[in-house]
């Protein structure tokens, strides 16, 4: 089966009990047993629920893997994967990453005796230098958030020793444009809140692997900690994911046009988009991704005040946290998504007050560019 077919068919056979073509929302916490311990494979919905199983199978298939574990949020999926580590372990982490992931690592997991080193993972020498005897995990986000730098998944995976895990947060690229497991990674994590759900109406996360031992550990923690999605949320995410292929093609087409427009505009200092020939890692992007997704970041000339004005002046780009929905969003990483990273760290990483981040939606491109033009040119 090809990608778009899997999105619509895997895990989604007609319901055995009723013939319902669409997987039902099994809104039940428990299941009636015929005798003690005799049941149909379902006993309690924190442990297993048919709607969640369907979603897990659908999403695993999109990453060409056998095992998926769905969670109530991307952060719950990330936390579950970090349960592979124990006190005394160390992880090497990309220094340009989602602020909430940084907060979980630096303010929660360090209290449990896990150490993190943040490096520019686009620099393999820096990655090598950060490895310690107790390094257990590499955490990659590529393209990174919000500066859209790329990390060579294959090259980092080649550094991995036995008993180390390479994890890729594939939220920005989606499995439609990037398949980390085929490049050597062990685990893929998504905030399904973003492109996979695709309609900004449900929070969720997933951890996917093709390794049965890793899956057993993640599944054990999914059940032990219990951060699972409700059946309704699992169903909404599954419905969104059915159209991932068509949506991603439109997101990428619009984002390319927006990036080219911004690059040619005199009010703009710099544009970050892997699909631009001017992106320093455009060649790696072409090798590693089959398309460049829908996120564009840019730096405006002028004062920080001006950048804040532009962000609040848009008509179709809603000023909002998050990304990946059909509707366009604009954000100010310094004050919004990345506010949980200390100011001096943000500046060191290039997250300045003049940086704006766009999640380019699938509205008509003429309207999107018209909106940007009028916001940039109104004084
Ligand atoms: C790249 C990335 N990973 C993980 C997360 C966390 O996901 P959630 O908000 O679903 O917990 C986000 C949220 O913005 C994100 O952008």
């Amino acid at each position: 089966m090809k990608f778009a077919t899997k999105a619509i068919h895997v895990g989604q056979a007609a319901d055995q009990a009723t013939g319902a073509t669409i997987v039902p929302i099994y809104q039940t916490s428990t299941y009636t047993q015929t005798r003690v311990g005799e049941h149909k494979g379902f006993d309690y919905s924190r442990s297993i629920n048919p709607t969640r199983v369907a979603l897990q199978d659908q999403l695993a298939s999109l990453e060409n893997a056998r095992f998926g574990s769905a969670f109530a949020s991307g952060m719950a999926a990330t936390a579950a994967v970090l349960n592979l580590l124990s006190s005394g372990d160390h992880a090497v982490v990309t220094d340009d990453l989602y602020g909430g992931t940084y907060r979980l690592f630096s303010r929660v997991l360090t209290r449990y005796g896990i150490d993190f080193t943040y490096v520019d993972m686009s620099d393999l020498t820096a990655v090598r230098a950060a490895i310690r005897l107790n390094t257990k995990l590499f955490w990659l986000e590529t393209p990174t958030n919000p500066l859209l730098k790329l990390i060579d998944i294959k090259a980092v995976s080649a550094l991995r020793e036995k008993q180390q895990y390479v994890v890729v947060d594939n939220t920005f690229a989606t499995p439609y444009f990037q398949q980390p497991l085929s490049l050597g990674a062990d685990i893929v994590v998504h905030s399904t809140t973003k492109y996979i759900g695709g309609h900004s109406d449900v929070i969720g996360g997933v951890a996917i692997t093709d390794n049965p031992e890793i899956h057993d550990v993640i599944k054990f923690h999914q059940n032990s900690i219990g951060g699972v999605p409700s059946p309704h949320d699992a169903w909404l995410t599954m419905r969104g994911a059915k159209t991932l292929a068509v949506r991603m093609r439109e997101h990428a087409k619009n984002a390319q046009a927006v990036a080219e427009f911004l690059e040619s505009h005199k009010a703009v200092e710099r544009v970050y988009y892997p699909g631009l020939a001017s992106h320093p890692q455009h060649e790696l992007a072409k090798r590693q991704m089959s398309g460049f997704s829908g996120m564009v970041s840019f730096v405006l000339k002028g004062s920080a005040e001006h950048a804040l004005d532009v962000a609040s002046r848009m008509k179709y780009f809603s000023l909002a946290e998050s990304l990946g929905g059909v509707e366009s969003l604009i954000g100010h990483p310094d004050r919004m998504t990345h506010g949980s990273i200390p100011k001096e760290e943000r500046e060191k990483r290039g997250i300045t007050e003049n940086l704006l981040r766009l999640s380019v939606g699938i509205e008509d491109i003429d309207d999107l560019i018209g909106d940007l033009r009028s916001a940039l040119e109104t004084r």
Side-chain angles (χ1 to χ4, degrees):
M1 256 188 270
K2 296 276 176 54
F3 190 94
T5 315
K6 287 197 275 196
I8 292 167
H9 291 283
V10 174
Q12 302 164 73
D15 184 50
Q16 287 206 341
T18 63
T21 305
I22 299 305
V23 175
I25 302 171
Y26 281 95
Q27 194 69 48
T28 184
S29 61
T30 192
Y31 306 82
T32 301
Q33 310 192 4
T34 39
R35 288 175 65 78
V36 174
E38 240 178 58
H39 53 73
K40 298 184 169 144
F42 298 88
D43 53 357
Y44 185 60
S45 277
R46 168 164 38 74
S47 315
I48 186 164
N49 174 281
T51 315
R52 192 169 88 226
V53 168
L55 170 69
Q56 291 172 162
D57 290 350
Q58 176 202 35
L59 297 186
S61 82
L62 297 183
E63 294 281 4
N64 261 322
R66 286 173 288 173
F67 312 108
S69 306
F71 292 88
S73 68
M75 288 320 304
T78 298
V81 168
L82 266 291
N83 286 136
L84 287 159
L85 271 52
S86 301
S87 173
D89 288 341
H90 169 251
V92 179
V93 182
T94 173
D95 65 353
D96 185 26
L97 85 164
Y98 171 58
T101 307
Y102 177 81
R103 178 176 53 206
L104 172 72
F105 291 177
S106 64
R107 294 182 52 193
V108 180
L109 296 175
T110 48
R111 291 196 280 110
Y112 293 83
I114 299 172
D115 263 352
F116 298 88
T117 304
Y118 301 89
V119 291
D120 176 355
M121 290 182 100
S122 60
D123 175 0
L124 280 183
T125 315
V127 178
R128 256 188 231 105
I131 297 172
R132 300 188 198 157
L133 285 175
N134 58 342
T135 300
K136 267 300 248 324
L137 184 138
F138 298 88
W139 185 273
L140 287 66
E141 238 184 72
T142 180
T144 64
N145 179 8
L147 297 176
L148 303 163
K149 275 195 271 188
L150 295 195
I151 299 167
D152 189 333
I153 299 171
K154 206 173 185 174
V156 174
S157 301
L159 298 177
R160 177 233 295 99
E161 309 259 349
K162 224 168 155 244
Q163 302 309 326
Q164 292 177 334
Y165 307 106
V166 175
V167 187
V168 178
D169 182 333
N170 205 21
T171 300
F172 270 34
T174 83
Y176 185 67
F177 286 135
Q178 179 170 275
Q179 302 254 306
L181 301 180
S182 74
L183 298 167
D186 302 293
I187 304 164
V188 166
V189 167
H190 284 279
S191 166
T192 57
T193 311
K194 313 291 163 24
Y195 288 110
I196 286 182
H199 297 76
S200 305
D201 52 10
V202 57
I203 300 280
V206 70
I208 294 168
T209 180
D210 201 45
N211 179 321
E213 283 148 32
I214 294 176
H215 175 61
D216 281 349
V217 177
I218 295 174
K219 202 169 112 193
F220 172 78
H221 286 94
Q222 183 195 37
N223 187 39
S224 301
I225 297 172
V228 294
S230 72
H232 188 237
D233 284 0
W235 186 89
L236 272 173
T237 305
M238 182 168 35
R239 182 170 73 164
K242 289 182 200 204
T243 54
L244 187 62
V246 277
R247 283 187 286 108
M248 291 319 294
R249 286 197 287 269
E250 290 301 305
H251 280 295
K253 200 167 73 186
N254 280 358
Q256 183 77 35
V258 162
E260 286 171 11
F261 164 75
L262 290 171
E263 197 170 44
S264 69
H265 201 284
K266 61 180 187 325
V268 175
E269 174 98 35
R270 175 159 187 195
V271 182
Y272 300 94
Y273 183 64
L276 288 176
S278 60
H279 189 284
Q281 295 162 298
H282 184 55
E283 288 310 310
L284 172 59
K286 284 198 284 187
R287 212 167 54 239
Q288 178 161 283
M289 307 173 77
S290 56
F292 308 113
S293 209
M295 299 302 295
V296 178
S297 294
F298 64 106
V299 179
L300 274 176
K301 291 180 186 158
S303 66
E305 216 41 52
H306 175 55
L308 293 171
D309 282 349
V310 167
S312 45
R313 215 181 265 151
M314 311 286 300
K315 193 159 144 205
Y316 302 121
F317 286 82
S318 306
L319 177 59
E321 304 269 356
S322 204
L323 61 111
V326 291
E327 60 288 309
S328 293
L329 304 180
I330 186 164
H332 187 268
D334 188 57
R335 302 238 184 137
M336 295 167 74
T337 42
H338 290 66
S340 49
I341 298 177
K343 178 100 185 129
E344 60 280 8
E345 277 295 316
R346 294 202 297 271
E347 276 170 8
K348 218 160 61 189
R349 294 171 195 191
I351 304 171
T352 61
E353 290 184 329
N354 279 18
L355 180 76
L356 295 174
R357 190 189 79 176
L358 302 178
S359 172
V360 182
I362 63 171
E363 300 94 335
D364 191 283
I365 189 60
D366 293 343
D367 290 329
L368 296 183
I369 290 192
D371 195 17
L372 281 163
R373 180 177 282 117
S374 77
L376 291 175
E377 292 171 12
T378 307
R379 277 274 167 189

